[in-house]
Amino acid sequence: MQIYDISQEVFGSRVYPGDPSPARESLLSMEKGDACNLTAFSMCAHNGTHVDAPFHFYQEGKTVDQMELSAYVGWACVVAHTGEVMAEHARHMLETALLRKREAVKRILIKGRAVVTAQAAAVFAEEGISLLGNESQTVGPEENPEEVHLRLLGAGITLLEGICLGQVPEGVYFLCAAPLKLGGADGAPCRAVLLKGLEEEKET
């Protein structure tokens, strides 16, 4: 089995414009004579690789601790795209996933410098996928992400943003991207990984 780590390192991670950056503080240090090393840190829920819960854009929406873990764990399809993702591109991604593995159509991970449009978001919402992932820090246009978020989160689609797919070939993988259980939060960081070869191991 091959494991792809598709997460950013937290303290050097990308930060959405205007959000606070992660910060680390050494509370105890063995170099200074302490019995152990102990680190404290602070960060925004949307730094680096993270998930968005509906509460991010809906006051009455589910918070990240209320989301079903099944959205973050399961078969997913990695598809490459550069530029705006239009409705026809979204349909092609869904068709590609369906052909490769029926269960993978529920989780679409977009590889490349892609921007999901409202039209594409409507297609994903209509299909009823569980999760949409992308490499940028926001799934929609950086200057105006609200409409895309409202369409996707309003349809119950969880968002996995800031993933790293540069070394991952297109195809089907088993995704594990459970977020931290932050009570009442609109999002949370996660350690996202893709597993390849599970089916082959099961058959042997």
Side-chain angles (χ1 to χ4, degrees):
M1 180 178 65
Q2 187 169 4
I3 301 175
Y4 291 93
D5 184 353
I6 59 170
S7 309
Q8 299 179 53
E9 187 280 316
V10 171
F11 297 112
S13 66
R14 300 189 298 271
V15 177
Y16 185 80
D19 287 352
S21 297
R24 175 176 52 198
E25 178 185 2
S26 177
L27 300 180
L28 296 175
S29 171
M30 295 178 71
E31 284 189 353
K32 296 179 180 179
D34 295 318
C36 66
N37 295 310
L38 183 63
T39 300
F41 66 93
S42 63
M43 65 184 296
C44 172
H46 300 267
N47 289 157
T49 304
H50 66 279
V51 304
D52 287 0
F55 185 60
H56 189 33
F57 276 87
Y58 286 95
Q59 184 58 36
E60 303 303 321
K62 286 185 177 182
T63 54
V64 72
D65 57 306
Q66 295 172 331
M67 297 293 289
E68 294 290 336
L69 285 177
S70 58
Y72 311 104
V73 180
W75 294 104
C77 187
V78 174
V79 290
H81 187 84
T82 300
E84 288 190 328
V85 180
M86 306 303 293
E88 60 268 28
H89 301 133
R91 293 189 191 96
H92 178 69
M93 291 175 184
L94 294 169
E95 290 168 0
T96 299
L98 192 59
L99 286 171
R100 289 175 173 168
K101 189 176 183 66
R102 179 171 294 275
E103 298 95 324
V105 77
K106 286 294 184 181
R107 299 171 191 83
I108 303 296
L109 306 180
I110 305 175
K111 173 181 177 175
R113 296 176 62 86
V115 177
V116 177
T117 65
Q119 293 76 17
V123 172
F124 290 127
E126 184 178 350
E127 176 64 27
I129 68 172
S130 301
L131 178 145
L132 182 64
N134 66 296
E135 296 207 67
S136 68
Q137 290 306 112
T138 183
V139 70
E142 189 173 287
E143 66 279 3
N144 186 26
E146 183 176 358
E147 183 179 6
V148 173
H149 278 78
L150 287 172
R151 284 180 181 261
L152 295 170
L153 294 173
I157 299 171
T158 193
L159 305 179
L160 175 58
E161 298 174 325
I163 53 179
C164 304
L165 297 172
Q167 303 303 312
V168 181
E170 289 186 275
V172 171
Y173 301 84
F174 194 86
L175 171 70
C176 297
L180 293 179
K181 195 172 184 178
L182 303 181
D186 47 275
C190 69
R191 181 72 176 268
V193 297
L194 292 174
L195 309 179
K196 189 70 172 177
L198 282 184
E199 288 185 320
E200 290 84 346
E201 286 194 359
K202 192 174 183 181
E203 292 172 359
T204 58

